[in-house]
Amino acid sequence: MSKTFNVSGACNPDRHFVVDLESRLREIKSMIDCGEYFVISRARQYGKTTLLRALAGYLKEDYQVVSLDFQNIESGEYMDGSVFVHALAREVNKKIRRMTGVPAGVEQAIANLAGNSSRCVRMAEIFSCFSEWCECSRQPVVLIVDEIDTAANNQVFLDFLAQLRAAYLGRDEIPAFRSVILAGVYDVRNIKRKTRSDEEHMENSPWNIAADFDVEMSFFAEDIEGMLRQYEDVYHTGMDIEKIAGLLYDYTSGYPYLVSRICKLIDERIAGTAAYPDKAGAWTEEGYLAAVKMLLEENNPLFDSLINKINQYPELKSVIWRQLFQGQPVAYAADDSAVRNARMFGLVKTENGSVRIANRIFETRLYNYFLTLPEVQGGELYQRASLDKNQFVQKGQLDMKRVLEKFVEHFDEIYGDRGQKFYEEDGRRYFMLYLKPIINGVGNYYVEARTRNQERTDLIIDYLGTQFIIELKLFAPGNAYKNGEKLSL
């Protein structure tokens, strides 16, 4: 079977072109060797499951690893503690039947818990089995639980975390797992467990014993180069690996799904088209930009999740709006729930204490979303641009000078009586609104990362392989304006 770029489920090096995870696995193993319990909290499709499966294989020489996926436990099984224990035992039993070295008594006890679902049991019973396992096992035992978001809103899950916490705190006296790793989008360290029905009485998070997980899961340009070399060893396209890897990193900031999706589009959708009849032609900058355009126009689970979160959290939508259209710097504050959620969902990243949209692909997709809302498209400026569209493209080339001239004409006619504050806060948005119907379906645009502020914006426009750099500044009359013109020339 030929290898492919994978965006559906966990990646397997035997079937897929993958990034080398060795350095990350080594770093995680050092945490496990130290006996740390921790959470891998990352956005959707960030490679968590791929990393966990690779980790289980990486640890097998030194540890007994039981790796669970809480998606296999049905929602109704979280509603009652006894039912949950039976379901948990069932999932553990599936794993240990395929393992060697599990103490016979533990294996039988887990099987009994899994099989006798009619008996009412307590969480302590299965944790007693875990403790006996850890005491009798020839190797330390590591527990990995993926997709914990499935359970996070249930009290029974908090009880499960509390039992793990108690085992961690008492492990000098009673044997417990060497390490526990929980993975999901939400960071379970932030959830609380009630001690009484009174809402005011809460204890600390049942997972406040977790160590920080600082392993970088984004791909670096060097990681991407290694994956592309695997591909090149098979297909010999002659691509400039360093250049293509650099483009992938510049546009995605190493977001694993986006890197793999663009590569997959180039390999399977761009190559073989009339414009790029073979793989050699597709793996060029022009082919890459065609794949980016295709990505930005498609619906996929990541983009659907992105937009759903924007609509689900109004305060999050406000933060993104300010970033995109007003260029307002947003300082990172750990207690700001909107910013914290934006980071958790992968929408933004922090740089030097400020918040930035996570990558160029997200930024462009979000611009496209906000600029195509019905209330926006119904505006007069958008309608003018739609009517003017045919005069801006001649022989397949975009006449950007003409676009700018007509924008100034229409903008002054419609909004010329507005104050300075309007220009500062809305000038960028209205220019992009005017540009949208002109390049829609053919070109893309993005804001240069180094210039996202109110005083200056470099808007980069890709149109059929030609790039235009539009520098937007607040108008300053007199010598400042003349000096600006000279610098621009």
Side-chain angles (χ1 to χ4, degrees), residues 49-112:
T49 301
T50 294
L51 182 69
L52 292 178
R53 291 191 180 181
L55 180 64
Y58 191 77
L59 296 174
K60 65 182 181 181
E61 296 298 323
D62 300 309
Y63 296 96
Q64 277 202 331
V65 181
V66 56
S67 185
L68 307 178
D69 184 338
F70 268 15
Q71 286 184 119
N72 293 326
I73 299 179
E74 298 177 7
S75 58
E77 293 175 320
Y78 291 105
M79 304 308 293
D80 176 84
S82 179
V83 175
F84 173 76
V85 170
H86 287 301
L88 178 60
R90 179 191 68 223
E91 296 306 311
V92 174
N93 190 47
K94 288 180 187 176
K95 298 294 182 176
I96 62 178
R97 283 179 0 200
R98 294 167 174 80
M99 297 169 61
T100 59
V102 179
V106 172
E107 188 170 356
Q108 186 60 51
I110 295 289
N112 291 339

Side-chain angles (χ1 to χ4, degrees), residues 156-394:
V156 68
F157 175 66
L158 301 185
D159 295 339
F160 171 72
L161 291 183
Q163 289 283 337
L164 286 173
R165 177 178 181 269
Y168 172 86
L169 294 175
R171 60 185 177 172
D172 288 341
E173 298 177 0
I174 300 174
F177 294 117
R178 167 63 63 86
S179 178
V180 175
I181 305 163
L182 307 179
V185 173
Y186 293 88
D187 189 341
V188 295
R189 290 179 301 177
N190 298 324
I191 62 178
K192 305 290 185 181
R193 179 173 179 264
K194 292 182 188 178
T195 54
R196 289 187 244 162
S197 59
D198 182 352
E199 288 290 340
E200 294 182 359
H201 291 85
M202 308 282 284
E203 71 171 19
N204 289 333
S205 162
W207 203 240
N208 60 3
I209 44 86
D212 293 332
F213 181 78
D214 297 323
V215 177
E216 181 56 67
M217 290 179 61
S218 300
F219 296 160
F220 299 108
E222 294 80 6
D223 296 323
I224 302 171
E225 285 182 32
M227 182 171 64
L228 293 180
R229 286 194 184 93
Q230 296 172 28
Y231 181 88
E232 190 66 3
D233 287 343
V234 176
Y235 292 104
H236 309 289
T237 68
M239 78 167 86
D240 186 333
I241 291 177
E242 184 176 354
K243 180 178 182 179
I244 298 299
L247 286 169
L248 283 161
Y249 183 78
D250 287 344
Y251 277 69
T252 68
S253 296
Y255 198 112
Y257 174 87
L258 296 176
V259 172
S260 295
R261 183 59 181 163
I262 294 173
C263 289
K264 190 175 185 68
L265 289 173
I266 295 173
D267 180 53
E268 299 179 12
R269 300 276 296 279
I270 300 299
T273 62
Y276 307 96
D278 55 28
K279 292 185 184 295
W283 287 96
T284 59
E285 182 172 358
E286 293 75 19
Y288 172 84
L289 293 175
V292 168
K293 176 178 175 296
M294 189 177 290
L295 170 65
L296 289 168
E297 291 175 351
E298 74 175 8
N299 290 321
N300 59 54
L302 179 60
F303 289 161
D304 289 344
S305 176
L306 189 81
I307 300 305
N308 286 340
K309 292 298 184 289
I310 290 288
N311 290 321
Q312 186 178 353
Y313 297 91
E315 70 281 5
L316 179 60
K317 191 172 188 177
S318 176
V319 168
I320 299 301
W321 176 274
R322 297 202 312 270
Q323 280 277 293
L324 292 175
F325 295 112
Q326 296 178 359
Q328 293 182 4
V330 177
Y332 172 67
D335 296 322
D336 185 329
S337 62
V339 172
R340 188 169 62 244
N341 285 338
R343 285 189 71 195
M344 181 172 63
F345 298 138
L347 284 163
V348 301
K349 59 184 177 181
T350 55
E351 292 179 352
N352 301 320
S354 295
V355 176
R356 297 282 184 264
I357 303 297
N359 56 69
R360 191 179 294 177
I361 297 294
F362 281 2
E363 183 177 75
T364 305
R365 182 73 180 208
L366 290 166
Y367 273 128
N368 289 344
Y369 168 72
F370 282 112
L371 293 175
T372 53
L373 292 173
E375 60 269 27
V376 173
Q377 292 192 14
E380 188 174 356
L381 189 63
Y382 191 95
Q383 297 298 321
R384 295 282 187 94
S386 298
L387 292 173
D388 292 342
K389 179 177 180 178
N390 291 337
Q391 66 181 281
F392 298 132
V393 180
Q394 302 294 329

